[in-house]
Amino acid sequence: MEFEDKTLVCQDCGKEFTFTAGEQAFYKEKGLDNEPKRCKECRDKRKAARENKEFK
């Protein structure tokens, strides 16, 4: 299956981001069916917030 880059909109900040063909292939390989809902910056922020809660 051929993948093409897709432009998605982040549900947190509303910015457009690209879901690359390589990322799509990786998701498929790992059995992930849903496209990402957040851009990399917002995913990183959420991850950092979760990690800070775990260490408090």
CSV table of all heavy atoms in Angstrom, one decimal:
chain,number,residue,atom,x,y,z
A,1,MET,N,0.8,-1.2,0.0
A,1,MET,CA,0.0,0.0,0.0
A,1,MET,C,0.9,1.2,0.0
A,1,MET,O,1.8,1.4,0.8
A,1,MET,CB,-0.9,0.0,1.2
A,1,MET,CG,-1.7,1.2,1.4
A,1,MET,SD,-2.8,1.0,2.9
A,1,MET,CE,-4.1,2.1,2.3
A,2,GLU,N,0.6,2.2,-0.9
A,2,GLU,CA,1.3,3.4,-1.0
A,2,GLU,C,0.7,4.4,0.0
A,2,GLU,O,-0.5,4.6,0.0
A,2,GLU,CB,1.2,4.0,-2.4
A,2,GLU,CG,2.0,3.2,-3.4
A,2,GLU,CD,3.5,3.7,-3.5
A,2,GLU,OE1,3.7,4.9,-3.2
A,2,GLU,OE2,4.3,2.9,-3.8
A,3,PHE,N,1.6,5.1,0.7
A,3,PHE,CA,1.1,6.2,1.6
A,3,PHE,C,1.5,7.5,1.0
A,3,PHE,O,2.6,7.6,0.4
A,3,PHE,CB,1.7,6.0,3.0
A,3,PHE,CG,1.3,4.8,3.7
A,3,PHE,CD1,2.1,3.7,3.8
A,3,PHE,CD2,0.0,4.7,4.3
A,3,PHE,CE1,1.7,2.5,4.5
A,3,PHE,CE2,-0.4,3.6,5.0
A,3,PHE,CZ,0.5,2.5,5.1
A,4,GLU,N,0.7,8.5,1.3
A,4,GLU,CA,1.0,9.9,0.9
A,4,GLU,C,0.9,10.8,2.1
A,4,GLU,O,0.1,10.5,3.0
A,4,GLU,CB,0.0,10.4,-0.2
A,4,GLU,CG,0.2,9.6,-1.5
A,4,GLU,CD,-0.8,10.2,-2.6
A,4,GLU,OE1,-1.3,11.3,-2.4
A,4,GLU,OE2,-1.0,9.5,-3.6
A,5,ASP,N,1.7,11.8,2.2
A,5,ASP,CA,1.7,12.8,3.3
A,5,ASP,C,0.3,13.3,3.4
A,5,ASP,O,-0.4,13.6,2.3
A,5,ASP,CB,2.7,13.9,3.0
A,5,ASP,CG,4.1,13.5,3.2
A,5,ASP,OD1,4.4,12.3,3.5
A,5,ASP,OD2,5.0,14.3,3.0
A,6,LYS,N,-0.2,13.5,4.6
A,6,LYS,CA,-1.5,14.0,4.9
A,6,LYS,C,-1.4,15.3,5.8
A,6,LYS,O,-0.5,15.3,6.7
A,6,LYS,CB,-2.4,13.1,5.6
A,6,LYS,CG,-2.9,11.9,4.8
A,6,LYS,CD,-3.8,11.1,5.7
A,6,LYS,CE,-4.3,9.8,5.0
A,6,LYS,NZ,-5.2,9.1,5.9
A,7,THR,N,-2.2,16.3,5.5
A,7,THR,CA,-2.2,17.4,6.4
A,7,THR,C,-3.4,17.2,7.4
A,7,THR,O,-4.5,17.0,7.0
A,7,THR,CB,-2.4,18.7,5.6
A,7,THR,OG1,-1.3,18.8,4.7
A,7,THR,CG2,-2.4,19.9,6.5
A,8,LEU,N,-3.0,17.2,8.7
A,8,LEU,CA,-4.0,17.1,9.7
A,8,LEU,C,-4.1,18.4,10.6
A,8,LEU,O,-3.1,19.2,10.5
A,8,LEU,CB,-3.7,15.9,10.6
A,8,LEU,CG,-3.5,14.5,9.9
A,8,LEU,CD1,-3.1,13.5,10.9
A,8,LEU,CD2,-4.8,14.1,9.2
A,9,VAL,N,-5.1,18.5,11.4
A,9,VAL,CA,-5.2,19.7,12.3
A,9,VAL,C,-5.2,19.2,13.7
A,9,VAL,O,-5.9,18.3,14.1
A,9,VAL,CB,-6.6,20.4,12.0
A,9,VAL,CG1,-6.7,21.6,13.0
A,9,VAL,CG2,-6.6,20.9,10.6
A,10,CYS,N,-4.3,19.8,14.5
A,10,CYS,CA,-4.1,19.5,15.9
A,10,CYS,C,-5.4,19.8,16.7
A,10,CYS,O,-5.9,20.9,16.6
A,10,CYS,CB,-2.9,20.2,16.5
A,10,CYS,SG,-2.6,19.9,18.2
A,11,GLN,N,-5.9,18.9,17.5
A,11,GLN,CA,-7.1,19.1,18.3
A,11,GLN,C,-6.8,20.1,19.5
A,11,GLN,O,-7.7,20.6,20.0
A,11,GLN,CB,-7.7,17.8,18.8
A,11,GLN,CG,-7.0,17.2,20.0
A,11,GLN,CD,-7.8,16.0,20.5
A,11,GLN,OE1,-8.7,15.4,19.8
A,11,GLN,NE2,-7.4,15.5,21.7
A,12,ASP,N,-5.5,20.2,19.9
A,12,ASP,CA,-5.2,21.1,21.0
A,12,ASP,C,-5.0,22.5,20.6
A,12,ASP,O,-5.6,23.5,21.1
A,12,ASP,CB,-4.0,20.6,21.8
A,12,ASP,CG,-4.3,19.3,22.6
A,12,ASP,OD1,-5.5,18.9,22.7
A,12,ASP,OD2,-3.4,18.8,23.2
A,13,CYS,N,-4.1,22.7,19.6
A,13,CYS,CA,-3.7,24.1,19.3
A,13,CYS,C,-4.3,24.6,18.0
A,13,CYS,O,-4.3,25.8,17.7
A,13,CYS,CB,-2.2,24.2,19.2
A,13,CYS,SG,-1.4,23.3,17.8
A,14,GLY,N,-4.9,23.7,17.2
A,14,GLY,CA,-5.5,24.1,15.9
A,14,GLY,C,-4.6,24.3,14.7
A,14,GLY,O,-5.0,24.6,13.6
A,15,LYS,N,-3.3,24.1,14.9
A,15,LYS,CA,-2.3,24.2,13.8
A,15,LYS,C,-2.4,23.0,12.9
A,15,LYS,O,-2.7,21.9,13.4
A,15,LYS,CB,-0.9,24.3,14.4
A,15,LYS,CG,-0.6,25.6,15.1
A,15,LYS,CD,0.8,25.6,15.5
A,15,LYS,CE,1.1,26.7,16.5
A,15,LYS,NZ,2.5,26.6,17.0
A,16,GLU,N,-2.1,23.2,11.6
A,16,GLU,CA,-1.9,22.1,10.7
A,16,GLU,C,-0.6,21.5,10.9
A,16,GLU,O,0.4,22.1,11.2
A,16,GLU,CB,-2.1,22.6,9.3
A,16,GLU,CG,-3.5,23.0,8.9
A,16,GLU,CD,-3.6,23.4,7.5
A,16,GLU,OE1,-2.6,23.5,6.8
A,16,GLU,OE2,-4.8,23.5,7.0
A,17,PHE,N,-0.5,20.1,10.7
A,17,PHE,CA,0.7,19.4,10.8
A,17,PHE,C,0.7,18.3,9.8
A,17,PHE,O,-0.4,17.9,9.3
A,17,PHE,CB,1.1,18.9,12.2
A,17,PHE,CG,0.1,17.8,12.7
A,17,PHE,CD1,0.5,16.5,12.6
A,17,PHE,CD2,-1.1,18.2,13.3
A,17,PHE,CE1,-0.4,15.5,13.1
A,17,PHE,CE2,-2.0,17.2,13.8
A,17,PHE,CZ,-1.6,15.9,13.7
A,18,THR,N,1.8,17.8,9.4
A,18,THR,CA,1.9,16.8,8.3
A,18,THR,C,2.1,15.4,9.0
A,18,THR,O,3.0,15.2,9.8
A,18,THR,CB,3.1,17.1,7.4
A,18,THR,OG1,2.9,18.4,6.8
A,18,THR,CG2,3.1,16.0,6.3
A,19,PHE,N,1.2,14.5,8.6
A,19,PHE,CA,1.4,13.1,9.0
A,19,PHE,C,2.0,12.4,7.7
A,19,PHE,O,1.4,12.2,6.7
A,19,PHE,CB,0.0,12.5,9.2
A,19,PHE,CG,-0.1,11.1,9.7
A,19,PHE,CD1,0.9,10.6,10.6
A,19,PHE,CD2,-1.1,10.3,9.4
A,19,PHE,CE1,0.8,9.3,11.1
A,19,PHE,CE2,-1.2,9.0,9.9
A,19,PHE,CZ,-0.3,8.5,10.7
A,20,THR,N,3.3,12.2,7.8
A,20,THR,CA,4.1,11.8,6.7
A,20,THR,C,3.8,10.4,6.3
A,20,THR,O,3.3,9.6,7.1
A,20,THR,CB,5.6,11.9,6.9
A,20,THR,OG1,6.0,11.0,8.0
A,20,THR,CG2,6.0,13.3,7.4
A,21,ALA,N,4.2,10.0,5.1
A,21,ALA,CA,4.0,8.7,4.5
A,21,ALA,C,4.8,7.7,5.4
A,21,ALA,O,4.3,6.6,5.7
A,21,ALA,CB,4.5,8.6,3.1
A,22,GLY,N,6.0,8.1,5.9
A,22,GLY,CA,6.8,7.2,6.7
A,22,GLY,C,6.1,7.0,8.1
A,22,GLY,O,6.1,5.8,8.6
A,23,GLU,N,5.5,8.0,8.6
A,23,GLU,CA,4.8,7.9,9.9
A,23,GLU,C,3.6,7.0,9.7
A,23,GLU,O,3.3,6.1,10.6
A,23,GLU,CB,4.4,9.2,10.4
A,23,GLU,CG,5.5,10.1,10.9
A,23,GLU,CD,5.1,11.5,11.2
A,23,GLU,OE1,4.2,12.0,10.5
A,23,GLU,OE2,5.7,12.1,12.1
A,24,GLN,N,2.9,7.1,8.6
A,24,GLN,CA,1.8,6.3,8.3
A,24,GLN,C,2.2,4.8,8.2
A,24,GLN,O,1.5,3.9,8.8
A,24,GLN,CB,1.1,6.7,7.1
A,24,GLN,CG,0.4,8.1,7.2
A,24,GLN,CD,-0.1,8.5,5.9
A,24,GLN,OE1,-0.9,7.9,5.2
A,24,GLN,NE2,0.3,9.8,5.5
A,25,ALA,N,3.3,4.5,7.6
A,25,ALA,CA,3.8,3.2,7.4
A,25,ALA,C,4.1,2.6,8.8
A,25,ALA,O,3.8,1.4,9.1
A,25,ALA,CB,5.0,3.1,6.5
A,26,PHE,N,4.8,3.4,9.6
A,26,PHE,CA,5.1,3.0,11.0
A,26,PHE,C,3.9,2.7,11.8
A,26,PHE,O,3.8,1.6,12.5
A,26,PHE,CB,5.9,4.1,11.7
A,26,PHE,CG,6.2,3.8,13.1
A,26,PHE,CD1,7.3,3.0,13.5
A,26,PHE,CD2,5.5,4.4,14.1
A,26,PHE,CE1,7.6,2.7,14.8
A,26,PHE,CE2,5.8,4.1,15.5
A,26,PHE,CZ,6.8,3.3,15.8
A,27,TYR,N,2.9,3.5,11.8
A,27,TYR,CA,1.6,3.3,12.5
A,27,TYR,C,1.0,1.9,12.0
A,27,TYR,O,0.6,1.1,12.8
A,27,TYR,CB,0.6,4.4,12.2
A,27,TYR,CG,0.7,5.6,13.2
A,27,TYR,CD1,1.9,6.2,13.4
A,27,TYR,CD2,-0.4,6.0,13.9
A,27,TYR,CE1,2.0,7.3,14.3
A,27,TYR,CE2,-0.4,7.1,14.8
A,27,TYR,CZ,0.9,7.7,15.0
A,27,TYR,OH,0.9,8.8,15.9
A,28,LYS,N,1.0,1.7,10.7
A,28,LYS,CA,0.4,0.5,10.2
A,28,LYS,C,1.2,-0.7,10.6
A,28,LYS,O,0.6,-1.7,11.1
A,28,LYS,CB,0.4,0.6,8.6
A,28,LYS,CG,-0.2,-0.6,7.9
A,28,LYS,CD,-1.7,-0.6,8.0
A,28,LYS,CE,-2.3,-1.6,7.1
A,28,LYS,NZ,-3.7,-1.7,7.2
A,29,GLU,N,2.5,-0.6,10.6
A,29,GLU,CA,3.4,-1.7,11.1
A,29,GLU,C,3.1,-2.1,12.5
A,29,GLU,O,3.2,-3.2,12.9
A,29,GLU,CB,4.8,-1.3,10.9
A,29,GLU,CG,5.8,-2.3,11.3
A,29,GLU,CD,7.3,-1.8,11.1
A,29,GLU,OE1,7.6,-1.3,10.0
A,29,GLU,OE2,8.0,-1.9,12.1
A,30,LYS,N,2.8,-1.1,13.4
A,30,LYS,CA,2.6,-1.3,14.8
A,30,LYS,C,1.2,-1.6,15.1
A,30,LYS,O,0.8,-1.8,16.3
A,30,LYS,CB,3.0,0.0,15.6
A,30,LYS,CG,4.5,0.3,15.5
A,30,LYS,CD,5.3,-0.8,16.1
A,30,LYS,CE,6.8,-0.5,16.0
A,30,LYS,NZ,7.6,-1.5,16.5
A,31,GLY,N,0.3,-1.7,14.1
A,31,GLY,CA,-1.1,-2.0,14.3
A,31,GLY,C,-1.9,-0.9,14.8
A,31,GLY,O,-3.0,-1.1,15.4
A,32,LEU,N,-1.5,0.3,14.6
A,32,LEU,CA,-2.2,1.5,15.1
A,32,LEU,C,-3.1,2.0,14.0
A,32,LEU,O,-2.7,2.3,12.9
A,32,LEU,CB,-1.3,2.6,15.5
A,32,LEU,CG,-0.2,2.3,16.6
A,32,LEU,CD1,0.8,3.4,16.7
A,32,LEU,CD2,-1.0,2.0,17.9
A,33,ASP,N,-4.4,2.0,14.2
A,33,ASP,CA,-5.4,2.3,13.2
A,33,ASP,C,-5.8,3.8,13.2
A,33,ASP,O,-6.2,4.3,12.1
A,33,ASP,CB,-6.7,1.5,13.4
A,33,ASP,CG,-6.5,0.0,13.3
A,33,ASP,OD1,-5.6,-0.4,12.5
A,33,ASP,OD2,-7.1,-0.8,14.0
A,34,ASN,N,-5.7,4.5,14.3
A,34,ASN,CA,-6.1,5.9,14.3
A,34,ASN,C,-4.9,6.9,14.0
A,34,ASN,O,-3.8,6.6,14.3
A,34,ASN,CB,-6.6,6.3,15.7
A,34,ASN,CG,-7.8,5.4,16.1
A,34,ASN,OD1,-8.6,5.2,15.3
A,34,ASN,ND2,-7.8,5.0,17.4
A,35,GLU,N,-5.3,7.9,13.2
A,35,GLU,CA,-4.3,8.9,12.9
A,35,GLU,C,-4.0,9.8,14.2
A,35,GLU,O,-4.9,9.8,15.1
A,35,GLU,CB,-4.9,9.9,11.8
A,35,GLU,CG,-5.1,9.2,10.5
A,35,GLU,CD,-5.7,10.1,9.5
A,35,GLU,OE1,-6.3,11.1,9.8
A,35,GLU,OE2,-5.6,9.7,8.3
A,36,PRO,N,-2.9,10.4,14.3
A,36,PRO,CA,-2.6,11.2,15.4
A,36,PRO,C,-3.6,12.4,15.5
A,36,PRO,O,-4.0,12.9,14.4
A,36,PRO,CB,-1.2,11.7,15.2
A,36,PRO,CG,-0.9,11.5,13.8
A,36,PRO,CD,-1.8,10.4,13.3
A,37,LYS,N,-3.9,12.9,16.7
A,37,LYS,CA,-4.8,14.0,16.8
A,37,LYS,C,-4.1,15.3,17.2
A,37,LYS,O,-4.7,16.3,17.2
A,37,LYS,CB,-5.9,13.7,17.9
A,37,LYS,CG,-6.8,12.5,17.5
A,37,LYS,CD,-7.9,12.3,18.5
A,37,LYS,CE,-8.7,11.1,18.0
A,37,LYS,NZ,-10.0,11.1,18.7
A,38,ARG,N,-2.8,15.1,17.6
A,38,ARG,CA,-2.1,16.3,18.1
A,38,ARG,C,-0.7,16.4,17.3
A,38,ARG,O,-0.2,15.4,16.9
A,38,ARG,CB,-1.7,16.1,19.6
A,38,ARG,CG,-3.0,16.2,20.4
A,38,ARG,CD,-2.6,16.0,21.9
A,38,ARG,NE,-3.9,16.1,22.7
A,38,ARG,CZ,-4.7,15.0,22.9
A,38,ARG,NH1,-4.4,13.8,22.4
A,38,ARG,NH2,-5.8,15.2,23.6
A,39,CYS,N,-0.3,17.6,17.1
A,39,CYS,CA,1.0,17.9,16.5
A,39,CYS,C,2.1,17.4,17.5
A,39,CYS,O,1.9,17.2,18.7
A,39,CYS,CB,1.1,19.4,16.2
A,39,CYS,SG,1.2,20.5,17.6
A,40,LYS,N,3.3,17.3,17.0
A,40,LYS,CA,4.4,16.9,17.8
A,40,LYS,C,4.6,17.8,19.0
A,40,LYS,O,4.9,17.3,20.1
A,40,LYS,CB,5.7,16.9,17.0
A,40,LYS,CG,7.0,16.6,17.8
A,40,LYS,CD,7.8,15.5,17.2
A,40,LYS,CE,9.1,15.3,17.9
A,40,LYS,NZ,9.0,14.9,19.3
A,41,GLU,N,4.5,19.1,18.9
A,41,GLU,CA,4.7,20.0,20.0
A,41,GLU,C,3.7,19.7,21.1
A,41,GLU,O,4.1,19.6,22.3
A,41,GLU,CB,4.6,21.5,19.5
A,41,GLU,CG,5.8,21.9,18.6
A,41,GLU,CD,5.6,21.5,17.2
A,41,GLU,OE1,4.4,21.1,16.8
A,41,GLU,OE2,6.6,21.5,16.4
A,42,CYS,N,2.4,19.5,20.7
A,42,CYS,CA,1.4,19.3,21.8
A,42,CYS,C,1.6,17.9,22.4
A,42,CYS,O,1.3,17.7,23.6
A,42,CYS,CB,0.0,19.5,21.2
A,42,CYS,SG,-0.4,21.2,20.8
A,43,ARG,N,2.0,16.9,21.6
A,43,ARG,CA,2.2,15.6,22.1
A,43,ARG,C,3.4,15.6,23.1
A,43,ARG,O,3.3,15.0,24.2
A,43,ARG,CB,2.6,14.6,21.0
A,43,ARG,CG,1.4,14.2,20.2
A,43,ARG,CD,1.7,12.9,19.3
A,43,ARG,NE,3.0,12.9,18.6
A,43,ARG,CZ,3.1,13.3,17.3
A,43,ARG,NH1,2.1,13.8,16.6
A,43,ARG,NH2,4.3,13.3,16.8
A,44,ASP,N,4.4,16.4,22.8
A,44,ASP,CA,5.5,16.5,23.7
A,44,ASP,C,5.1,17.2,25.0
A,44,ASP,O,5.6,16.8,26.1
A,44,ASP,CB,6.7,17.3,23.1
A,44,ASP,CG,7.4,16.5,22.0
A,44,ASP,OD1,7.2,15.2,21.9
A,44,ASP,OD2,8.1,17.1,21.2
A,45,LYS,N,4.3,18.3,24.9
A,45,LYS,CA,3.8,19.0,26.1
A,45,LYS,C,3.0,18.1,27.0
A,45,LYS,O,3.2,18.1,28.2
A,45,LYS,CB,2.9,20.2,25.7
A,45,LYS,CG,3.7,21.4,25.2
A,45,LYS,CD,2.7,22.5,24.8
A,45,LYS,CE,3.4,23.5,24.0
A,45,LYS,NZ,2.4,24.5,23.5
A,46,ARG,N,2.1,17.3,26.4
A,46,ARG,CA,1.3,16.3,27.2
A,46,ARG,C,2.1,15.3,27.9
A,46,ARG,O,1.9,14.9,29.0
A,46,ARG,CB,0.2,15.7,26.3
A,46,ARG,CG,-0.9,16.6,25.9
A,46,ARG,CD,-1.9,16.0,25.0
A,46,ARG,NE,-2.5,14.8,25.5
A,46,ARG,CZ,-3.6,14.7,26.2
A,46,ARG,NH1,-4.3,15.9,26.5
A,46,ARG,NH2,-4.1,13.6,26.7
A,47,LYS,N,3.1,14.8,27.1
A,47,LYS,CA,4.0,13.8,27.7
A,47,LYS,C,4.8,14.3,28.9
A,47,LYS,O,4.9,13.7,29.9
A,47,LYS,CB,5.0,13.3,26.6
A,47,LYS,CG,5.9,12.2,27.1
A,47,LYS,CD,6.9,11.7,26.0
A,47,LYS,CE,7.8,10.7,26.5
A,47,LYS,NZ,8.8,10.3,25.5
A,48,ALA,N,5.3,15.6,28.7
A,48,ALA,CA,6.1,16.2,29.8
A,48,ALA,C,5.2,16.4,31.0
A,48,ALA,O,5.6,16.2,32.2
A,48,ALA,CB,6.7,17.5,29.3
A,49,ALA,N,3.9,16.8,30.8
A,49,ALA,CA,3.0,17.1,31.9
A,49,ALA,C,2.7,15.7,32.6
A,49,ALA,O,2.7,15.7,33.9
A,49,ALA,CB,1.7,17.7,31.4
A,50,ARG,N,2.5,14.7,31.9
A,50,ARG,CA,2.3,13.3,32.5
A,50,ARG,C,3.5,12.9,33.3
A,50,ARG,O,3.4,12.4,34.4
A,50,ARG,CB,2.0,12.3,31.4
A,50,ARG,CG,0.6,12.2,31.0
A,50,ARG,CD,0.3,10.9,30.2
A,50,ARG,NE,1.3,10.5,29.3
A,50,ARG,CZ,1.4,10.8,28.0
A,50,ARG,NH1,0.5,11.6,27.5
A,50,ARG,NH2,2.3,10.4,27.2
A,51,GLU,N,4.7,13.1,32.8
A,51,GLU,CA,5.9,12.7,33.5
A,51,GLU,C,6.1,13.5,34.8
A,51,GLU,O,6.5,13.0,35.8
A,51,GLU,CB,7.1,12.8,32.6
A,51,GLU,CG,7.2,11.8,31.5
A,51,GLU,CD,8.3,12.0,30.5
A,51,GLU,OE1,9.0,13.0,30.5
A,51,GLU,OE2,8.4,11.1,29.6
A,52,ASN,N,5.8,14.8,34.7
A,52,ASN,CA,5.9,15.6,35.9
A,52,ASN,C,4.9,15.2,37.0
A,52,ASN,O,5.3,15.2,38.2
A,52,ASN,CB,5.7,17.1,35.6
A,52,ASN,CG,6.8,17.7,34.9
A,52,ASN,OD1,8.0,17.2,35.0
A,52,ASN,ND2,6.6,18.8,34.1
A,53,LYS,N,3.8,14.8,36.7
A,53,LYS,CA,2.8,14.3,37.6
A,53,LYS,C,3.3,13.0,38.3
A,53,LYS,O,3.1,12.8,39.5
A,53,LYS,CB,1.4,14.0,37.0
A,53,LYS,CG,0.6,15.2,36.7
A,53,LYS,CD,-0.7,14.9,36.2
A,53,LYS,CE,-1.5,16.2,36.0
A,53,LYS,NZ,-2.9,15.8,35.4
A,54,GLU,N,3.9,12.1,37.5
A,54,GLU,CA,4.4,10.8,38.0
A,54,GLU,C,5.5,11.0,39.1
A,54,GLU,O,5.6,10.2,40.0
A,54,GLU,CB,4.9,9.9,36.9
A,54,GLU,CG,3.8,9.5,36.0
A,54,GLU,CD,4.3,8.7,34.8
A,54,GLU,OE1,5.5,8.5,34.7
A,54,GLU,OE2,3.5,8.3,33.9
A,55,PHE,N,6.3,12.0,39.0
A,55,PHE,CA,7.4,12.2,39.9
A,55,PHE,C,7.1,13.1,41.1
A,55,PHE,O,8.0,13.4,41.9
A,55,PHE,CB,8.6,12.8,39.1
A,55,PHE,CG,9.2,11.8,38.1
A,55,PHE,CD1,9.1,12.1,36.7
A,55,PHE,CD2,9.8,10.7,38.5
A,55,PHE,CE1,9.6,11.2,35.8
A,55,PHE,CE2,10.3,9.8,37.6
A,55,PHE,CZ,10.2,10.0,36.2
A,56,LYS,N,5.9,13.6,41.2
A,56,LYS,CA,5.5,14.4,42.3
A,56,LYS,C,5.0,13.6,43.5
A,56,LYS,O,4.6,12.5,43.4
A,56,LYS,CB,4.5,15.5,41.9
A,56,LYS,CG,5.2,16.5,41.1
A,56,LYS,CD,4.3,17.7,40.8
A,56,LYS,CE,5.0,18.8,40.0
A,56,LYS,NZ,4.2,19.9,39.8
